[in-house]
Amino acid sequence: MKKIIIANWKANLLPKDSLSLAKKYANLKKGAYSVIVCPDFSVISSLSSLLSKSSVTLGAQDCSAFLPGSHTGEVCASSLKYFGVEFVIIGHSERRANGETDTDISKKINNTLDAKMTPVICVGESAEEFRLKKTKTVIKKQLISVLRGLTSKQLAKNIIIAYEPVWAVGTDIFLSPEETIKICKFIKEIATGIGSLKLAVLYGGSVSSANSFHYLNNEAVAGLLVGRASLDYKNFCEILKN
Ligand code: PGA
């Protein structure tokens, strides 16, 4: 299976800037990696048409914990699916920092799987937890609480876990590839133990063209979740060259 590179544009761009960046992405030729781009909700519809004939797959940065109904301001998984979204980032540390709980995350995973999309579930420890060497304990707890509620049918579907140490996101500090490989193997072991059958574990957190090769070089790391380095097309292409 090809390794996966997910571009998370977060809320960095105005719609016009997302569209011009997406036009560049649309020129990417099929290569060694599967490329997924996650713009904000405001341009999901436009990017859906723009990328439809390209090698790039559309993803989203979140979805609602609710099913369609009277939930003002929410964007349901089924609406994302309608626009051709195939992957949904869930439980990003920037959302957890704004109060998202494991219960919300479980519901979002459920809705994403039921709408026939692949969840990209983010897990990771804080700087303090890392300092206290609690990484494995924290990740195990996060994985158990968000995967435990899934049915065996849901666990048989493609599930992506993105390991993102919170202290490495948006900081220019990253976890060494050696340590990352150990944690990715640990995640695979735990999630497989819970019953996940088609699991891919990615790394994210200050990935750049200077360090991406070292992560992608190992089979335990199925790909990368890239934030800032995905906002500059040239920079992003450098990662894809690795
Ligand atoms: P970063 O963000 O690459 O800018 O650190 C990664 C992420 O938040 O997914």
Side-chain angles (χ1 to χ4, degrees), residues 184-203:
C184 288
K185 284 183 178 164
F186 175 73
I187 289 174
K188 184 133 199 176
E189 201 181 292
I190 300 294
T192 308
I194 298 170
S196 176
L197 298 179
K198 286 194 241 159
L199 186 82
V201 187
L202 315 185
Y203 169 76

Side-chain angles (χ1 to χ4, degrees), residues 8 10 92 94 164 168-171 204-207 225-229:
N8 178 9
K10 308 190 180 182
H92 191 281
E94 288 158 4
E164 296 207 304
V169 172
T171 57
S206 295
V207 168
L225 179 50
V226 186
R228 286 157 300 158

Side-chain angles (χ1 to χ4, degrees), residues 1 4 6 30 34-39 41 44-45 47-48 51-63 76-90 108-109 111-121 157-160:
M1 203 177 98
I4 303 160
I6 304 183
K30 269 208 167 83
S34 300
V35 175
I36 296 152
V37 60
C38 301
F41 289 145
I44 287 279
S45 162
L47 261 65
S48 172
L51 297 173
S52 64
K53 291 195 176 62
S54 78
S55 66
V56 178
T57 304
L58 188 60
Q61 299 174 18
D62 188 29
C63 74
C76 293
S78 49
S79 296
L80 296 173
K81 178 69 181 178
Y82 175 84
F83 283 116
V85 168
E86 292 185 32
F87 295 81
V88 184
I89 297 174
I90 300 172
K108 292 178 181 193
I109 297 171
N111 294 347
T112 297
L113 286 169
D114 288 355
K116 300 195 168 35
M117 298 180 291
T118 301
V120 179
I121 308 162
K157 296 185 182 178
N158 285 320
I159 291 180
I160 296 177

